[in-house]
Amino acid sequence: QVQLVESGGGLVQPGGSLRLSCAASVTIFSIYAMGWYRQAPGKQRELVASISNVGSTNYVDSVKGRFTISRDNAKKTVYLQMNNLKPEDTAVYYCNKGPGLPLSSWGRGTQVTVSS
C-alpha cells in the first residue's frame, strides 16, 4: 500500500510562487508515473500535471507555462513548482499515481490559497 504525504502549500498573493512536495512510501517508486491533482471547493478533483517513469511531462492547459512537475526517484518524491499563481489555482492539492494507473489511497493533501 502506497502512502502519500503532501506538503508545501500555503497562502500566497497573486503572481507568487509555491513549491509542493509529495513523499511516497513505496518499495519501488521509480516505476510509477505520478501526478498532481487538485480539488477546488464545489468542484471535482482534476489532474493538473503528470510525469512518467522516464520523466515525460504533461499539463492541463490552465497551468501550462506556469507549473513544472519533477521527481527525485532516490528520494521517492515528486514536486510541483507553481509560478505566477492565480486565484483560480486555489484548491487542495494531492499527489497520486499518474493517469491510467490504479490510484492509491489519497493523502490529506496540501491547501493552496491564492489571494490578495
Side-chain angles (χ1 to χ4, degrees):
Q1 180 70 296
V2 179
Q3 290 187 319
L4 302 161
V5 179
E6 301 92 350
S7 62
L11 173 63
V12 63
Q13 292 186 342
S17 299
L18 286 173
R19 189 193 193 206
L20 307 184
S21 299
C22 170
S25 63
V26 61
T27 302
I28 303 175
F29 173 77
S30 60
I31 63 173
Y32 296 114
M34 296 295 295
W36 279 99
Y37 302 75
R38 68 185 180 188
Q39 187 168 21
K43 295 187 177 180
Q44 290 191 339
R45 195 171 305 183
E46 64 169 342
L47 175 67
V48 296
S50 63
I51 185 166
S52 74
N53 60 336
V54 294
S56 299
T57 58
N58 280 287
Y59 302 91
V60 68
D61 285 347
S62 60
V63 308
K64 282 181 180 177
R66 301 188 297 120
F67 290 12
T68 302
I69 189 172
S70 60
R71 65 190 297 161
D72 185 333
N73 289 336
K75 295 183 178 180
K76 299 182 180 180
T77 300
V78 61
Y79 304 98
L80 186 67
Q81 177 67 44
M82 306 187 296
N83 298 328
N84 190 22
L85 282 160
K86 303 176 179 180
E88 51 264 42
D89 295 318
T90 295
V92 180
Y93 284 71
Y94 305 85
C95 69
N96 212 310
K97 293 177 186 171
L101 295 175
L103 295 175
S104 297
S105 298
W106 294 97
R108 298 181 64 179
T110 186
Q111 175 71 48
V112 172
T113 303
V114 185
S115 175
S116 55

